[in-house]
Amino acid sequence: MKSVALALGGGGARSLAHIPVLEALDELGIRPVAIAGASFGAVIAAAYAAGMSGKAIRRIAINTAHDRAAIWAKLLAARVGGLADWLSSPLGNPLLLDAEKFCSGFLPSDIPDDFASLRVPLTVVATDLYGRGEAVLTSGALKSALAASIAIPGLMRPIEREGRVLVDGAAVNPLPFDLLRGKADVVVAVDVSIGPGEPRGVPEPWEALAATMQVIGHGILMRKLADGRPDLLLRPNADAFRLLDFFLASAILRAADPIKAQVKEKLAALLHTSQA
C-alpha cells in the first residue's frame, strides 16, 4: 500500500467538516504517515495524530456542541481578564480569550502535551506576527502550538513561544499541504475555507473580521494551488456555515458526510494508479 499524508485547513467551525474525511480513511484502513494542520484544522489534525478515530472525534464534537451551558462556562473561564482589566484599557476586547486556556478547556484528553507523544508526526502552522511569516511547529509543547495556530486576532490573545509572538496559522498558510511534499506517496488536502457567499447585511465586528480572514486565506490558497496542487484536493460541503458556528456541529457534519464516498472512490483510484 502506498503511503498517504493528510493536510487539514482552517475554517473555524467548518473545520468539523474534516471529520467525515477521517472516518472514510478509517473505513479504508488507511492511516496517514504524516499530518499537517492550520488553525482549527490543526486541532482536528492533532486529535487524529494522537490516535483518535474519526468516529471518536465526531462524538466529542457533537457532545460538546450540545452542552451549551458547559461551553459558556468554559469560554468565561478562558477570558484574558475581567471588568477591571477592560476599564483600564477601554479600547480592548472584554471578551478576549486566552488561547491556551481555551485549549485546556476544550481539547480532548487524548491529545498529549508534547509532539513526541503523538502516534503520527504532526506539523502545526502558526503566523509569526513580528517575523511576518510562517511558523512551522513540529516539536515541543503541543498544546501551546495548537493555541498559537487558532489564535484568531481580535478574538484570542497571541501566544508567546520560543521568543516569537504567534497568531492564527490561516493568515499565512490556510491549507499546509506544501509542508507534506516528499513525506508520502500521496498527499491529500481538505479545504473548508470557503464560507457564506450570500450577502447577509452588515456583519457584526467578529463576523466581519472572520470574513476578512477568509478572503485573505482564500487568496493565499488560490496562489498556492496555481504553483502546485496536492494529489487529491477535497472540499466538503460546509459553505453555508460561518467561522463561529460551533453550536451547529451536527448540521455541519451532516452537510459534510457525502464527502466520504468521494474520499473512498478518488483515493482508492489514486492509490491504485500510484501502485501501477
Side-chain angles (χ1 to χ4, degrees):
M1 174 71 72
K2 294 293 185 178
S3 59
V4 173
L6 177 67
L8 303 182
R14 293 193 300 276
S15 295
L16 297 173
H18 292 310
I19 294 173
V21 174
L22 307 184
E23 292 174 325
L25 293 177
D26 291 342
E27 291 165 16
L28 288 169
I30 295 171
R31 198 67 179 176
V33 298
I35 306 176
S39 197
F40 281 91
V43 175
I44 304 293
Y48 202 51
M52 295 181 67
S53 67
K55 284 187 177 180
I57 299 171
R58 176 189 289 256
R59 185 165 55 251
I60 288 175
I62 291 174
N63 290 343
T64 300
H66 288 178
D67 192 347
R68 295 198 174 203
I71 287 177
W72 286 116
K74 290 177 180 179
L75 288 175
L76 288 173
R79 285 187 303 167
V80 168
L83 179 61
D85 300 285
W86 180 65
L87 290 174
S88 66
S89 181
L91 294 180
N93 177 4
L95 298 179
L96 185 70
L97 299 177
D98 181 310
E100 290 184 286
K101 289 182 181 179
F102 180 91
C103 286
S104 295
F106 286 98
L107 288 182
S109 59
D110 300 70
I111 296 180
D113 293 327
D114 198 278
F115 278 88
S117 298
L118 294 168
R119 296 189 183 183
V120 180
L122 174 67
T123 299
V124 172
V125 176
T127 299
D128 185 339
L129 192 61
Y130 296 117
R132 300 177 184 176
E134 183 178 73
V136 178
L137 309 174
T138 58
S139 63
L142 174 58
K143 291 177 182 177
S144 75
L146 296 176
S149 192
I150 67 170
I152 302 169
L155 181 61
M156 294 185 182
R157 183 171 62 184
I159 296 295
E160 291 187 70
R161 179 186 167 102
E162 299 170 357
R164 294 184 290 183
V165 176
L166 306 177
V167 296
D168 193 337
V172 288
N173 195 346
L175 185 56
F177 62 86
D178 52 311
L179 302 180
L180 297 173
R181 290 195 178 107
K183 295 186 177 182
D185 300 306
V186 174
V187 175
V188 178
V190 189
D191 176 24
V192 293
S193 63
I194 302 301
E198 293 298 322
R200 298 183 179 182
V202 178
E204 295 297 325
W206 283 353
E207 187 179 344
L209 175 62
T212 301
M213 290 283 290
Q214 176 184 302
V215 171
I216 294 169
H218 185 65
I220 292 170
L221 179 56
M222 290 302 101
R223 289 194 296 274
K224 283 182 58 180
L225 291 173
D227 292 335
R229 301 174 69 86
D231 298 294
L232 178 58
L233 178 62
L234 300 166
R235 287 193 167 107
N237 178 25
D239 295 358
F241 302 96
R242 291 176 287 194
L243 186 83
L244 301 178
D245 280 343
F246 288 100
F247 286 129
L248 302 180
S250 294
I252 293 171
L253 289 164
R254 283 195 301 271
D257 274 339
I259 197 68
K260 293 173 71 172
Q262 189 179 144
V263 174
K264 293 177 180 180
E265 177 187 354
K266 294 189 174 182
L267 183 55
L270 189 58
L271 291 174
H272 177 74
T273 300
S274 297
Q275 289 176 318

